[in-house]
Amino acid sequence: MTSVLKPHDRPCVRYPWSRTTPPGEFPLERYEILRDTVGQPGGEASMCAPLFACHKTPEGREEPCAGWLAAVGRDHIGVRIAVAQGRLDPAVLDPKPGWPPLFTDYDELIAVQAGRQDSEATA
């Protein structure tokens, strides 16, 4: 049987999907590695796409990032399958009161984290 996914109840104070995380908090190279966890603009992540793991979960026992789930989790087929199988509570796909504002577009997230203006962002 496949394991139940248990993301944190709320995102970390500083994490990639928060609009309040200062640019440079996480290395830009890491974002490119994680690109496969999100769909292409207007689409969803591929069938084999990994989950965007919380940076505070131990390697080998990663759990999905709470902010990522609430921001773009619905666009990930693996997340939707986990919800359908009862391995992931669908309530985690919505931000809760008191959460920081979230990015909902990966390219915008990268552009802001790189300190570029929206017009300079590239896919």
Side-chain angles (χ1 to χ4, degrees), residues 19 103 105 107-109 111-112 115-122:
R19 289 183 174 274
F103 288 101
D105 179 271
D107 290 324
E108 180 188 8
L109 178 154
V112 170
R116 297 182 298 214
Q117 299 300 320
D118 287 349
S119 63
E120 297 173 7
T122 59

Side-chain angles (χ1 to χ4, degrees), residues 71-114:
V72 297
R74 285 180 171 81
D75 295 332
H76 194 286
I77 188 83
V79 168
R80 293 197 313 270
I81 289 171
V83 168
Q85 292 174 333
R87 297 185 306 113
L88 184 64
D89 182 351
V92 302
L93 301 178
D94 295 309
K96 307 299 180 271
W99 282 22
L102 303 174
F103 288 101
T104 57
D105 179 271
Y106 196 70
D107 290 324
E108 180 188 8
L109 178 154
I110 291 173
V112 170
Q113 287 300 317

Side-chain angles (χ1 to χ4, degrees), residues 8-98:
H8 293 198
D9 293 333
R10 63 179 293 114
C12 300
V13 173
R14 291 190 174 177
Y15 68 103
W17 288 91
S18 172
R19 289 183 174 274
T20 61
T21 298
E25 181 76 17
F26 298 95
L28 289 176
E29 302 81 42
R30 186 76 178 135
Y31 289 110
E32 285 305 317
I33 292 169
L34 296 169
R35 180 172 285 284
D36 288 342
T37 67
V38 297
Q40 298 304 315
E44 67 182 6
S46 75
M47 186 66 148
C48 299
L51 301 180
F52 191 109
C54 172
H55 67 282
K56 291 191 176 181
T57 54
E59 191 170 332
R61 293 186 293 142
E62 294 90 350
E63 293 291 345
C65 170
W68 172 79
L69 284 168
V72 297
R74 285 180 171 81
D75 295 332
H76 194 286
I77 188 83
V79 168
R80 293 197 313 270
I81 289 171
V83 168
Q85 292 174 333
R87 297 185 306 113
L88 184 64
D89 182 351
V92 302
L93 301 178
D94 295 309
K96 307 299 180 271

